[in-house]
Amino acid sequence: MKSDTHKVLHPIAGRPMLLHLIDSVAALEPARNVVVVGAGREQVEAAVHPYGAETVHQAEQLGTGHAVRMAEEALAGFDGDVLILYGDVPLVSTATMRRMLERLHGADNPAAVVLGFRPVDPGAYGRVIADGQGHIVKMVEFKDASAEERAETLCNSGLMAVGAKDLFGLLAQVTNANAAGEYYLPDIVMLAAGQGRHSAVIETDAHEVTGVNSRGELAALEAEWQQARRTRAMADGATLIAPETVWFSYDTVLGRDVTVEPNVVFGPGVEVADQVTIHAFSHIEGARIASGVAVGPYARLRPGAVLEEGAKVGNFVEIKKAVLGKGAKANHLTYLGDAKVGAGANIGAGTITCNYDGYFKYGTEIGAGAFIGSNSALVAPVKIGDGAIVGAGSVVTQDVEADALGLTRARQEAKPGWAKRFRERMQARKAAK
């Protein structure tokens, strides 16, 4: 990846790859989550510990079998099922994981279940040779495979489900007598076969087990995820005018009859209710948008933005940690930060809430039905009462009571002929040079 960020922490749809997996696993209600870490482990530990995962250290990278064996001590006394996943294969679904576990408990009692797939180009993937019942005859790494075995299209994703007692007993027998000199996890399948126990393979779509080893592969997987998410959004009742230009995050929620115009980006933490219009070139993150709201074009909603029913946010408006009440409007060129705007209020073009003094943040309250004239600066902490009007161009530093007019402009003065005299004087100076 050529990055200071650990590979498995690079994001897909705004969430680190590894956390996609942890979230999918969580739906299975696992007894334990154990993450095997190596180089750069401090980053991974900081990412997964808040989710209740344990970490174990693989000091030397001696192969996949060796990596899994590092979890043996952490799972001492555990006699349940072990699901083996890879942090750089982030999009395996809960449903597929569940299928693996169900197959492990099939009537034929397989020693292990391997997740297979058929890529367009099998390339250097390990191959799975299976019979018509899905029983594995042989598993072989590409480096060690014969020409006939390389012709097989069923490939090994590396993901497996194995009973804990079987897993670590078999791993203890794995050797590194192979072309790479590594301890291969798939070797446990053939070791089990040597003891008279078969293993099974189930298949999934290649997309689901796509791994990431470069930024190019990361971008390609992101593109696939986005395309699937757009398709789902439209199937669920949203209209995407130009689907290929809309960018979703992993947790974006869209209601029915939502219209999303081109070039809209949804960052993490966005909830959009029914019958909302998101106009073009808007960027939305950490925001909650109620029904009947219109946003944009060119609007930015930052974390903590709440737009209540029927509110309108127009072009070049930025809202951060602020509530825009029912039917309230901020249609042009406005910044609302750390603010609460009452129902039906109108925020004129060029209005800003001055919420930061370089050290602390302060709040602004704008009452229901208030009218803030264009190009006004509201210096927080300040409160504008219900129905109050703030004259255009005002710098408001004190509260304005309900139904009052707040006006802070300097008196306008006109000096007849001054402009003409100024031009003549400056033109003469310029000519003299």
Side-chain angles (χ1 to χ4, degrees), residues 297-319:
Y298 294 97
R300 185 182 181 195
L301 304 184
R302 293 170 56 194
V306 177
L307 309 186
E308 296 183 350
E309 290 86 348
K312 291 187 178 181
V313 173
N315 50 291
F316 303 105
V317 173
E318 179 179 351
I319 297 182

Side-chain angles (χ1 to χ4, degrees), residues 111-133:
V113 172
V114 174
L115 186 62
F117 68 110
R118 297 183 188 271
V120 174
D121 179 11
Y125 288 109
R127 302 301 202 265
V128 181
I129 315 299
D131 64 19
Q133 286 73 47

Side-chain angles (χ1 to χ4, degrees), residues 35-228:
V35 180
V36 181
V37 295
R41 68 182 190 274
E42 296 84 2
Q43 291 184 33
V44 179
E45 289 169 349
V48 302
H49 285 169
Y51 294 87
E54 307 168 54
T55 53
V56 295
H57 185 211
Q58 183 190 21
E60 296 181 274
Q61 280 67 61
L62 303 178
T64 53
H66 179 257
V68 174
R69 199 171 181 186
M70 296 298 99
E72 184 171 8
E73 184 176 345
L75 295 177
F78 177 70
D79 61 358
D81 302 328
V82 177
L83 193 61
I84 301 166
L85 308 167
Y86 290 81
D88 60 359
V89 183
L91 301 186
V92 185
S93 68
T94 302
T96 294
M97 297 177 191
R98 187 173 284 114
R99 282 200 299 127
M100 293 172 68
L101 295 170
E102 289 172 351
R103 183 66 185 89
L104 186 64
H105 291 276
D108 57 344
N109 191 33
V113 172
V114 174
L115 186 62
F117 68 110
R118 297 183 188 271
V120 174
D121 179 11
Y125 288 109
R127 302 301 202 265
V128 181
I129 315 299
D131 64 19
Q133 286 73 47
H135 294 164
I136 298 174
V137 176
K138 185 177 182 180
M139 291 182 64
V140 58
E141 294 295 323
F142 181 83
K143 296 175 184 177
D144 303 307
S146 66
E148 183 180 0
E149 290 165 343
R150 290 180 179 182
E152 171 61 58
T153 60
L154 182 58
C155 297
N156 174 26
S157 70
L159 280 66
M160 299 180 70
V162 195
K165 290 181 179 179
D166 289 331
L167 174 63
F168 295 111
L170 291 167
L171 281 174
Q173 303 171 51
V174 173
T175 71
N176 63 348
N178 51 59
E182 294 184 346
Y183 297 90
Y184 291 146
L185 175 63
D187 284 359
I188 67 173
V189 170
M190 302 319 298
L191 286 168
Q195 299 170 13
R197 295 192 63 193
H198 71 272
S199 296
V201 60
I202 64 170
E203 295 188 36
T204 192
D205 185 83
H207 161 75
E208 194 173 6
V209 290
T210 298
V212 173
N213 291 298
S214 69
R215 292 181 190 265
E217 291 176 353
L218 182 72
L221 192 58
E222 174 83 49
E224 290 185 25
W225 188 96
Q226 291 292 339
Q227 182 56 43

